Amino acid sequence: TSRETHITKTDANNVLLIKITVVQLLNYVVVPILTNRCSTQVDGACNWYTPGGLIEFAFYLQLFNILALPVRMMQLGNKFFTYVLAPRARTFWLQEKMYEPKEFDLSRQYSELLKIIGLAAIYGPALPVSYALAVIGIVVFYWCNKYSGLRMTKPPPKLHHSVFGVKVAIRIISLLQ
């Protein structure tokens, strides 16, 4: 992305949103399906509903994704820089830089939300509890974003009203289903 040139921040965020969402869905959907071993076969077909099968793996994947949301979104490493390393900075410029809040990364936040929705949409027909996990994940996501956006980061940039990246990502999710 460093070699790409975009006219506006909105275009740059849209492109980054699509890239991150596609890669995350490949990691969380395609890779588990391809790497799932058929340890038990019934009538020559894989039995994904057995203990240790794909469906159990999908459940724990979604559950741990939700449990790790606060850790990923709160950027706890920044607190370490602010409270431990910043007072020990050798120059005033470096100390100011460490105290400065980080940018609110809108494209990563949208891609995280689309990952939660995508996992529910893709694994939902085989694992109905995915929808409940997605609702819990969206609530946790909302509160983490609210706290992070109000207290830990700079305000989000003002972008054009176009949400092209979100529309394309939702279409990709519906195709994967």
Side-chain angles (χ1 to χ4, degrees):
T1 57
S2 61
R3 294 184 182 168
E4 295 177 1
T5 56
H6 302 284
I7 297 171
T8 63
K9 280 190 171 186
T10 304
D11 290 341
N13 275 336
N14 285 339
V15 169
L16 187 60
L17 166 70
I18 292 169
K19 287 179 183 180
I20 293 172
T21 303
V22 168
V23 168
Q24 283 187 343
L25 287 178
L26 283 174
N27 279 339
Y28 283 94
V29 175
V30 176
V31 171
I33 290 173
L34 292 178
T35 59
N36 184 29
R37 295 181 304 206
C38 293
S39 57
T40 59
Q41 293 188 356
V42 177
D43 298 330
C46 288
N47 195 357
W48 286 354
Y49 291 94
T50 60
L54 177 68
I55 303 305
E56 182 182 5
F57 180 76
F59 171 76
Y60 286 117
L61 184 75
Q62 288 179 298
L63 181 68
F64 290 127
N65 181 40
I66 293 168
L67 293 176
L69 269 175
V71 175
R72 283 195 314 264
M73 294 179 68
M74 295 298 200
Q75 303 170 353
L76 298 177
N78 294 343
K79 290 292 184 188
F80 176 75
F81 278 109
T82 303
Y83 293 116
V84 177
L85 297 180
R88 293 174 175 80
R90 293 182 184 215
T91 63
F92 184 68
W93 176 83
L94 185 61
Q95 189 177 32
E96 269 190 344
K97 193 81 171 159
M98 288 181 167
Y99 277 122
E100 184 176 296
K102 302 296 179 199
E103 293 285 332
F104 188 81
D105 197 358
L106 203 56
S107 57
R108 289 195 188 275
Q109 303 303 329
Y110 271 134
S111 68
E112 191 72 37
L113 178 63
L114 288 172
K115 180 178 71 172
I116 293 169
I117 294 169
L119 288 174
I122 292 167
Y123 288 130
L127 182 66
V129 75
S130 291
Y131 301 120
L133 287 173
V135 169
I136 294 168
I138 290 171
V139 169
V140 170
F141 174 80
Y142 169 76
W143 283 104
C144 289
N145 258 346
K146 183 176 180 179
Y147 183 81
S148 177
L150 291 175
R151 299 180 188 259
M152 297 177 67
T153 62
K154 293 179 183 175
K158 293 182 180 176
L159 302 173
H160 190 263
H161 67 277
S162 169
V163 288
F164 169 76
V166 174
K167 290 178 184 176
V168 170
I170 289 177
R171 288 183 184 155
I172 291 170
I173 290 170
S174 65
L175 286 176
L176 287 174
Q177 196 180 29

